Amino acid sequence: MSETLSAESALARDGAARIEWVRRHSPVLDGYVRDAVNDGALRGTRIAVVVHLEAKTAFLATVLADAGAEVIAAGSNPRTTDASVVAALRERGMTVVADAGGDYGSWERELRAAADCEPDYIIDDGAELTMRTAEHRPDVFARLKGVSEETTTGTARLQAMSAAGRLPFPALTANDARCKHLFDNRYATGQTTLQAILRLTNRQIAGARVAVVGYGYVGKGLALYAKALGARTFVTEVDPVRALEAHTDGHTVGARRDVFPQAQIIITATGGMRAIGAADLPHLAHDVILANAGHHDLEVDTEALAAAAASAAESRPGITSYRIGERDLHVLAGGALVNIAGGSGHPVEVMDLTFAVQGLGVHHLASTSLDPGVHILPKALDDSIAAAKLASYGIRLDELRTDQLDDHTARMAGTADGGSPA
Ligand SMILES: NC(=O)c1ccc[n+]([C@@H]2O[C@H](COP(=O)([O-])OP(=O)(O)OC[C@H]3O[C@@H](n4cnc5c(N)ncnc54)[C@H](O)[C@@H]3O)[C@@H](O)[C@H]2O)c1
């Protein structure tokens, strides 16, 4: 018993150290945001934080708890929960309805348990808890005061609910804040996805043919980092403007049946399902590595792969190799987000921005009265986060002088003589 207890407290100590490392490198969340949310607006509110449950999420949860909220922590994917972080948060007295090493069944039960905690607000990822609360606890759903959503996929789900007249509360799309998608989706996912693929496979990237499926903010970052590491980059898209953008950015753009047979690594980033599906399997080259950076674990359709394969085996930790005819197709991290399930997730500096958006977002929901529907974080708050980050780097920003406005704009602003508006 005492051995179990000491193992648990060693785990909690490890988790606390990881959370402290995040705090050290999160000047915006630990300074500007901490001060802003500490005005009493969150005191006594119950906030469910349902994002990949590792140290960066845990630090956000502690900032909200320090501001007086009762925080319930759960995971947004069964493969990304960190046992040490769970232990540290529990030791701190926080309600955590997640355990590491679970499967989809246990995760469903955890999310239902989170809904049963009857949160006022949800900080969600993929709208996973919001959707389950609607199904499992419609009474709690009807009383929800607001949701702040992390992802592109979750935003699409909330917008669909709103269009169907089934969103009785305001939802903020953190993903649409520029301080989120310009840095998190693009740079953080680009860096950490390539990092995870290289670590899991121990293969060379320079000279490799890497195909990216979907050229949104995430796809742009993936292609950017792959190219910077010396890869020959390919893109497949369904949106003509984004395909043209990829071409102009210097990547080879083509239809999947032209691109896939050449690719040695394919990374999906569409936010949809089956970006590599059953119909694509005949076009995949022998020994190709398939990795997913999008929200759905089925962007690489592992069910279709399993159905088509004569055998499947773990070639290395985190690599499942499917034998289809004469070809071996390798899937990383079971098809889950490879940078989180197969890596350490986003860099702390970037999550400092993303979680600043989420922290200020839930505070904005609690301190203003927004209509039901999907909203974006006010530009002034978005700007204030970037300004705090720049200040933490010691970077000074210029202000536009009125004599720098063109004459027409100055007249409209009432400052044609360069003086103050009348
Ligand atoms: N791994 C991470 O850490 C991480 C971080 C941020 C976002 N995400 C997730 O990544 C996904 C993409 O996010 P985003 O911000 O780039 O979204 P986005 O909407 O900006 O881009 C998605 C792109 O995929 C294209 N697309 C859709 N279906 C396609 C298909 N079948 N084939 C080819 N192209 C297709 C779309 O036209 C679009 O250009 C989302 O699921 C998001 O939640 C993951």
Side-chain angles (χ1 to χ4, degrees):
M1 181 70 181
S2 67
E3 240 175 55
T4 316
L5 276 181
S6 71
E8 189 60 24
S9 61
L11 197 61
R13 259 204 316 279
D14 177 30
R18 286 167 192 260
I19 297 169
E20 170 57 18
W21 179 258
V22 171
R23 190 200 62 74
R24 273 168 186 249
H25 300 100
S26 301
V28 180
L29 201 49
D30 196 34
Y32 169 60
V33 174
R34 184 184 281 288
D35 292 346
V37 302
N38 221 355
D39 62 355
L42 297 182
R43 194 166 304 129
T45 61
R46 199 172 291 162
I47 304 175
V49 176
V50 185
V51 185
H52 303 283
L53 192 47
E54 42 86 70
K56 287 153 289 193
T57 305
F59 182 56
L60 169 67
T62 64
V63 169
L64 299 174
D66 290 346
E70 184 189 332
V71 176
I72 300 129
S76 58
N77 186 301
R79 297 176 204 248
T80 58
T81 297
D82 180 325
S84 70
V85 163
V86 169
L89 290 179
R90 285 195 177 131
E91 192 165 89
R92 202 199 127 107
M94 199 176 282
T95 304
V96 183
V97 283
D99 279 298
D103 56 19
Y104 287 100
S106 57
W107 180 55
E108 283 295 334
R109 288 191 292 281
E110 289 164 1
L111 289 182
R112 283 166 182 245
D116 286 336
C117 291
E118 306 193 358
D120 302 309
Y121 299 96
I122 300 174
I123 291 183
D124 216 346
D125 185 310
E128 299 292 358
L129 180 59
T130 306
M131 291 187 314
R132 282 166 183 83
T133 305
E135 288 156 13
H136 171 61
R137 287 294 304 267
D139 56 324
V140 175
F141 185 76
R143 290 198 302 272
L144 269 176
K145 295 179 181 162
V147 167
S148 187
E149 165 57 38
E150 179 101 349
T151 67
T152 318
T153 298
T155 299
R157 288 171 170 175
L158 290 168
Q159 275 161 346
M161 287 165 110
S162 180
R166 288 174 40 220
L167 198 71
F169 48 78
L172 278 178
T173 68
N175 188 69
D176 287 337
R178 289 167 306 152
C179 278
K180 201 274 185 182
H181 64 255
L182 288 180
F183 307 99
D184 174 316
N185 300 31
R186 185 164 44 166
Y187 294 101
T189 314
Q191 173 184 317
T192 57
T193 299
L194 268 298
Q195 232 172 9
I197 292 171
L198 298 180
R199 190 184 66 77
L200 287 169
T201 62
N202 199 19
R203 300 281 300 278
Q204 173 170 314
I205 186 83
R209 295 183 298 277
V210 175
V212 173
V213 187
Y215 201 68
Y217 289 102
V218 171
K220 286 189 226 302
L222 297 173
L224 178 76
Y225 276 81
K227 195 169 193 176
L229 290 167
R232 284 185 269 159
T233 45
F234 297 75
V235 169
T236 71
E237 246 298 345
V238 292
D239 177 324
V241 175
R242 286 193 156 165
L244 182 59
E245 201 182 355
H247 169 79
T248 313
D249 286 344
H251 309 296
T252 302
V253 180
R256 57 188 52 228
R257 66 171 50 216
D258 300 323
V259 166
F260 283 177
Q262 307 180 56
Q264 294 166 294
I265 300 173
I266 306 180
I267 315 173
T268 54
T270 69
M273 308 279 280
R274 300 180 189 86
I276 300 175
D280 301 308
L281 299 186
H283 305 297
L284 301 177
H286 169 59
D287 232 13
V288 68
I289 290 160
L290 306 174
N292 173 40
H295 182 79
H296 286 291
D297 289 1
L298 276 182
E299 274 211 37
V300 176
D301 189 350
T302 47
E303 291 172 357
L305 275 162
S311 65
E314 189 175 54
S315 306
R316 268 172 68 92
I319 305 182
T320 310
S321 300
Y322 295 89
R323 183 82 182 152
I324 300 182
E326 299 298 306
R327 294 171 304 152
D328 293 313
L329 313 179
H330 312 288
V331 175
L332 304 191
L337 300 97
V338 70
N339 58 325
I340 306 178
S344 312
H346 283 4
V348 181
E349 289 84 349
V350 174
M351 291 315 287
D352 188 30
L353 292 171
T354 296
F355 283 155
V357 170
Q358 288 283 31
L360 291 186
V362 76
H363 178 263
H364 184 63
L365 287 165
S367 49
T368 50
S369 134
L370 294 172
D371 291 334
V374 180
H375 303 263
I376 59 171
L377 193 73
K379 182 176 180 303
L381 288 179
D382 208 356
D383 286 350
S384 72
I385 295 168
K389 191 70 162 181
L390 287 168
S392 80
Y393 291 144
I395 297 173
R396 290 189 340 163
L397 194 63
D398 282 324
E399 280 179 27
L400 200 61
R401 295 192 316 263
T402 51
D403 68 315
Q404 292 172 318
L405 296 174
D406 76 48
D407 288 348
H408 184 70
T409 311
R411 261 199 309 284
M412 292 295 114
T415 59
D417 60 0
S420 304

